[in-house]
Amino acid sequence: MDEFMTAAIAQAKQGRDEGGIPIGSVLVKDGKVLGRGHNKRVQDADPVTHAEIDCLRNAGRIGTYKNTTLYSTLMPCYLCAGAVVQFGIKKVIAGESATFPGAKEFMESHGVEVIDLDLDECKNLMQEFIQKNPQLWNEDIGK
């Protein structure tokens, strides 16, 4: 596993430790992390503070997203995939999509390269969380 997915997993664990949903994300360009984030829907009482959105906010205005890669521990949902497409991010690396299939096809249909690493560590983080917090997870995915 590369250092950037490791950083995204660290963000997911931070979110979990804060009482939130364990999803983390990092934005990378030229081998440098521009932003980090984790799902803060619970902590901020904000329904759109998903990990990828938090990451983009923390990266701030970077001018262009050309040649950036977004790492996320879980396949991005349509909200986050929309941000990926809107800003022209051309590569997304997801830790897993077994828990939630997300919007892979949507991103690919807009020219985004999407790689699913299918990592056990990412799946285990989500499975443990969902088992303990099914109602919160269902809220997160709009069920």
Side-chain angles (χ1 to χ4, degrees):
M1 182 179 343
D2 73 25
E3 64 183 292
F4 305 120
M5 184 53 70
T6 299
I9 291 170
Q11 285 293 307
K13 290 177 179 177
Q14 181 178 340
R16 176 201 62 201
D17 294 347
E18 293 172 357
I21 299 166
I23 304 169
S25 184
V26 296
L27 183 68
V28 176
K29 183 175 184 177
D30 298 327
K32 294 181 182 177
V33 174
L34 301 179
R36 303 169 192 267
H38 54 277
N39 187 302
K40 292 182 180 173
R41 290 183 60 261
V42 174
Q43 299 92 312
D44 293 352
D46 181 349
V48 296
T49 309
H50 290 203
E52 299 86 348
I53 301 301
D54 187 46
C55 175
L56 292 170
R57 283 180 177 153
N58 290 331
R61 292 182 59 220
I62 65 170
T64 180
Y65 293 84
K66 186 177 180 182
N67 300 319
T68 61
T69 300
L70 184 70
Y71 286 76
S72 182
T73 58
L74 186 65
M75 186 64 69
C77 68
Y78 281 94
L79 170 71
C80 300
V84 166
V85 170
Q86 177 68 33
F87 294 122
I89 297 168
K90 292 298 183 189
K91 188 171 187 178
V92 171
I93 300 177
E96 66 111 343
S97 65
T99 302
F100 182 73
K104 180 179 181 180
E105 292 80 15
F106 172 78
M107 290 184 287
E108 290 174 334
S109 74
H110 287 84
V112 179
E113 177 186 3
V114 181
I115 298 169
D116 182 353
L117 299 176
D118 193 35
L119 297 173
D120 287 338
E121 185 171 7
C122 293
K123 289 187 275 192
N124 291 339
L125 274 169
M126 291 307 301
Q127 288 170 1
E128 289 171 13
F129 174 80
I130 293 167
Q131 185 176 13
K132 293 177 184 174
N133 304 281
Q135 187 174 13
L136 192 55
W137 171 242
N138 286 331
E139 177 188 320
D140 193 60
I141 60 173
K143 283 191 175 182

